[in-house]
Structure formats: C-alpha cells, structure tokens
Amino acid sequence: GLKQHNQQLPPSTVHLLRNAGDEVTITVQYLREAPSFLKLPLGSPGPSSDHSSGASSPLFDSGLHLNGNSTNTAPSSPSSPIANEPKYEKRWLDTLSVPLSMARISRYKAGTDKLRSNAFEVLALDGVSTGILQFYTAQESADWLRAISTNISDLTLQNMKMANKCCSPSDQVIHMGWVNERLEGTDSSQLYKFKFLALKGSSFYIFSTPPVSTLDWVRAEKIYNLCEVLFKIHKLWLADDCWLQANLYLGIHQDFDLEDQRPYCFSVMVGHGKSHYFNVELGSELAVWEKSFQRAIFLEVQRTGSKTYMCSWQGDTLCFTVDFALGFTCFDSKTKNVLWRFKFSQLKGSSDDGKTRVKLLFQNLDTKQIETKELEFQDLTAVLHCIHSFIAAKVASVDPVFIDSQSIARKYMYSN
C-alpha cells in the first residue's frame, strides 16, 4: 500500500505510482511554510477569472482575508453555484503591535559593532521585538528611523511630564532615555548592553529597565550627584563622505585606531577616576544628551549653591568649599578660621597627581602674583568635577551663548 505520513496522496499520484513499474524514484522538495493568507480551506474559490473586475488573487495580495460567512458578503442569486462558498474581502490585518512608549531602537548586529545595512530593530518596554525591519534604500530606512525615534521621544516627554507632576520643583526629570553602555572587562565584540539613563533633580541615574513608578527610582543600578560628574563627547563620525566633510568643517581629529567603531559616543566620568561609556543610535540624541547634562548640572549648581569637601595638607584637617557666589574658600575644620579665599576668576590653572593631591594656582588681585595652594582629597576626581561644574555654571549664567557655541554635537546638527 502507498501511504504518506499525516497526509493522503492525491489520486492522480497514486495512479502514476501503481503503473510506474518495479522501480520508482521519488524526489521530495521542502517548501517553506506558506503565509497565513495562502492557507485556504478545501473548496475555496481560486483567483477570479474575470480580470476586468479588478478582484485580487490571494496568492499576490496579502491584504485579502478569507470570510467564510456568506451573510457578510454581497447577496447572490439562490441558484448561483457560488452563493454559499467563502468570499474574500480586503482589509488590513495587524500581525504585530509594538508599543513605542519607552521603546528602544537598535541598528547594530547582535554582539558586534557592525551597523545593519538599511535595517533596524524596535524593542518594546516588555522586550517584544519587531524583528529586523529591512528597507529597500538607505533613505527609506533613515526616514523610518527618524520617524519612529521622534515618536519615541514625544512619548518619553509625555512620561516625563507625568512623572514631574508627582515631584517637587527641585526634583524634576530633565531628560531620560535608552542608550548602549560599553561593558567593562569584555572584548571588543561583546561590549554593549542597553541601559536607561535619567537626569532627575540632583542625580544622574543608570537603570537596567526604565522607572515606571515612583518606587523604581530608588532601584537604580547607579546614582551619582550631578555636581560631581563630567560629560564628554568622544567622537562624532562615520565612514562616509558627509561625515568626513563634517569633521573637516568642525576640525574634529579623527582617530580610526580607537578600540570601537561606533559613532555618537559619550562618557560620563564619575568619582574615583571611574567612567561610564555610552553610545546612542542617532546624532540628534547625542545633541539632546549634551544639552540635557549641561542644563541638569547648571540647575543643580544653582540649587545647591555650594559644596564642601574634607581635605588635608601637611597634617592639618581642612575644609574646602566651592561656592557659586563667593568662589573658593579653605578653612580649618576645628576652629573654622578662613585660611584663604579666591574668586573663580582668580583661578589661573591647576595640576594634580591623578590620585589625591591637587595644586590650585590663584592670582592675587593686589600683587598680581600667582599663589599655589596644595590640598589632598580622598576622592580627588569628584572635587575636580565639582570645580568644573561650578565654573561652567558661572560662565553660563554670565554668557549663555558661550556654552551653546561650545557644543560639538549641536554644531554638527546645525551644519547639516
């Protein structure tokens, strides 16, 4: 007997096999699973023979949906042989819906620094993915990438506004969003992981997943004081003509020997000489992060007013204060006697040993001579970042245009 697993052979095939002789060669060809719109019930009508009617064949139109209920179709004559057969109606069918609120975009091949060609992936907050979305042209891919990114940004802004309604004026969310963080101690082929960053109140937060409730803010992986961090753009280039021209226009030194090849990279340097290295998908995102860090730091400096650190010099325990209005003050921790005080404008230079000791060079307003003050701090990096933050905020309060003129990312955005 001729049998086939789970399926009966067609009668014509059985007839051929029975009359083929003693030896039969059967060739089996694997066919990929047919799309759902091709899986039609037995007896369903084929493509319309009336080509003038404009009816589509289910083989070529994925928008066709089989409707087996004849009551939903146009009335037919009772004597018509097709009156009770299934009809086709054309309508859109959603196969996948990915919410864009708190969603993230990835243009890189998993585990590599290689950009996908005219393709990207969108992942929802709960991890549901669109899969790789492949486009015919680079322009089409860029248009969709920009449109989806803009949609995500708008929804993130709405989430920020909702969160800020529950926060005090001094604890507002300035900016938040997805980035890729380079992992420490890994080789160059497995170096990035999605992280969610937020600038809120006095702190810079790093999350593995976005905060969706007020309780989530205390569950961050890392929390840093904004006065003690330093934002730095690392590079802004791609290996194509427009980026090379932009580099020449901006005068950016291009180093192709750097250990990774991702564009739109920035780092946030924190205390004890440590730093976090991030990458974003679009140049516009880099510009927003740069502006947001500046704004968040300046607001925190103005809100705090001053920061005091314990330090020592030649066996004495001292206090070093950075004050937005007064500048630098050093006083004895026990007697509270002021040892020296200088304005921000009097600081002419500094040097440090990269560990604990720093030399601050101040110009005496009366003698015009340079005075050197040496101090030792437990966390020298945090103090240096704090000094930088206060001076930058002071400059911004006097000349806001100057700060904008120093933005590398925004220079690129405006020039293009």
Side-chain angles (χ1 to χ4, degrees), residues 163-217:
N164 285 337
K165 290 180 180 179
C166 306
C167 302
S168 65
S170 63
D171 198 31
Q172 298 284 290
V173 180
I174 301 299
H175 187 57
M176 60 184 185
W178 286 102
V179 300
N180 301 293
E181 182 178 13
R182 187 171 67 188
L183 303 179
E184 295 182 3
T186 57
D187 60 38
S188 59
S189 63
Q190 300 286 337
L191 47 126
Y192 284 93
K193 185 176 182 179
F194 276 115
K195 292 295 174 69
F196 192 86
L197 308 185
L199 303 172
K200 181 176 183 288
S202 62
S203 301
F204 164 51
Y205 296 82
I206 302 178
F207 297 91
S208 57
T209 57
V212 293
S213 70
T214 53
L215 295 176
D216 291 337
W217 289 94

Side-chain angles (χ1 to χ4, degrees), residues 92-104:
W92 286 102
L93 298 177
D94 291 332
T95 58
L96 181 65
S97 177
V98 178
L100 292 181
S101 179
M102 298 290 196
R104 59 190 189 268

Side-chain angles (χ1 to χ4, degrees), residues 127-140:
V128 173
S129 170
T130 58
I132 306 303
L133 303 176
Q134 184 71 52
F135 299 90
Y136 287 106
T137 65
Q139 184 62 52
E140 188 179 12

Side-chain angles (χ1 to χ4, degrees), residues 85-326:
E85 292 183 358
K87 304 293 182 182
Y88 292 98
E89 62 180 17
K90 190 170 185 178
R91 72 169 185 249
W92 286 102
L93 298 177
D94 291 332
T95 58
L96 181 65
S97 177
V98 178
L100 292 181
S101 179
M102 298 290 196
R104 59 190 189 268
I105 296 173
S106 177
R107 295 188 297 154
Y108 292 90
K109 294 180 180 179
T112 73
D113 279 330
K114 295 182 179 180
L115 284 167
R116 296 184 181 277
S117 178
N118 304 340
F120 59 86
E121 180 182 14
V122 182
L123 298 100
L125 176 61
D126 60 1
V128 173
S129 170
T130 58
I132 306 303
L133 303 176
Q134 184 71 52
F135 299 90
Y136 287 106
T137 65
Q139 184 62 52
E140 188 179 12
S141 176
D143 290 344
W144 274 104
L145 182 65
R146 190 178 300 110
I148 294 174
S149 177
T150 300
N151 194 305
I152 292 174
S153 298
D154 292 343
L155 292 171
T156 300
L157 185 60
Q158 292 181 22
N159 289 328
M160 286 168 48
K161 289 180 178 179
M162 291 178 61
N164 285 337
K165 290 180 180 179
C166 306
C167 302
S168 65
S170 63
D171 198 31
Q172 298 284 290
V173 180
I174 301 299
H175 187 57
M176 60 184 185
W178 286 102
V179 300
N180 301 293
E181 182 178 13
R182 187 171 67 188
L183 303 179
E184 295 182 3
T186 57
D187 60 38
S188 59
S189 63
Q190 300 286 337
L191 47 126
Y192 284 93
K193 185 176 182 179
F194 276 115
K195 292 295 174 69
F196 192 86
L197 308 185
L199 303 172
K200 181 176 183 288
S202 62
S203 301
F204 164 51
Y205 296 82
I206 302 178
F207 297 91
S208 57
T209 57
V212 293
S213 70
T214 53
L215 295 176
D216 291 337
W217 289 94
V218 299
R219 298 170 184 162
E221 290 183 348
K222 302 284 184 180
I223 303 177
Y224 300 102
N225 184 277
L226 280 169
C227 289
E228 298 178 349
V229 302
L230 185 65
F231 178 93
K232 179 183 178 182
I233 289 180
H234 275 263
K235 59 178 178 294
L236 195 65
W237 58 266
L238 272 175
D240 58 37
D241 291 341
C242 68
W243 275 98
L244 293 175
Q245 291 171 7
N247 288 334
L248 293 173
Y249 173 78
L250 296 174
I252 300 174
H253 174 65
Q254 193 162 287
D255 185 357
F256 288 96
D257 294 328
L258 292 170
E259 52 188 285
D260 70 88
Q261 300 296 307
R262 292 194 179 200
Y264 317 128
C265 296
F266 68 92
S267 65
V268 180
M269 289 173 273
V270 296
H272 296 288
K274 297 181 179 180
S275 66
H276 295 272
Y277 191 93
F278 302 108
N279 155 259
V280 289
E281 301 287 339
L282 299 171
S284 56
E285 293 179 302
L286 185 61
V288 171
W289 276 115
E290 182 186 33
K291 179 69 173 179
S292 299
F293 262 94
Q294 286 181 354
R295 181 164 174 251
I297 291 172
F298 296 168
L299 287 174
E300 178 56 20
V301 167
Q302 293 174 341
R303 203 163 35 229
T304 302
S306 67
K307 293 277 286 185
T308 299
Y309 297 92
M310 297 296 293
C311 61
S312 63
W313 181 244
Q314 294 180 343
D316 295 327
T317 302
L318 309 174
C319 291
F320 175 74
T321 298
V322 187
D323 189 283
F324 189 69
L326 302 176

Side-chain angles (χ1 to χ4, degrees), residues 14-120:
V14 174
H15 176 74
L16 287 172
L17 291 172
R18 282 176 174 169
N19 295 280
D22 295 335
E23 294 186 8
V24 177
T25 301
I26 300 177
T27 302
V28 179
Q29 181 179 0
Y30 170 77
L31 296 178
R32 293 184 177 180
E33 183 179 358
S36 58
F37 61 84
L38 293 181
K39 297 176 181 177
L40 307 178
L42 291 175
S44 59
S48 172
S49 58
D50 183 6
H51 298 287
S52 63
S53 67
S56 299
S57 163
L59 186 61
F60 300 106
D61 192 342
S62 61
L64 286 178
H65 176 70
L66 182 64
N67 185 351
N69 187 349
S70 61
T71 59
N72 293 335
T73 62
S76 302
S77 169
S79 60
S80 172
I82 62 170
N84 295 321
E85 292 183 358
K87 304 293 182 182
Y88 292 98
E89 62 180 17
K90 190 170 185 178
R91 72 169 185 249
W92 286 102
L93 298 177
D94 291 332
T95 58
L96 181 65
S97 177
V98 178
L100 292 181
S101 179
M102 298 290 196
R104 59 190 189 268
I105 296 173
S106 177
R107 295 188 297 154
Y108 292 90
K109 294 180 180 179
T112 73
D113 279 330
K114 295 182 179 180
L115 284 167
R116 296 184 181 277
S117 178
N118 304 340
F120 59 86

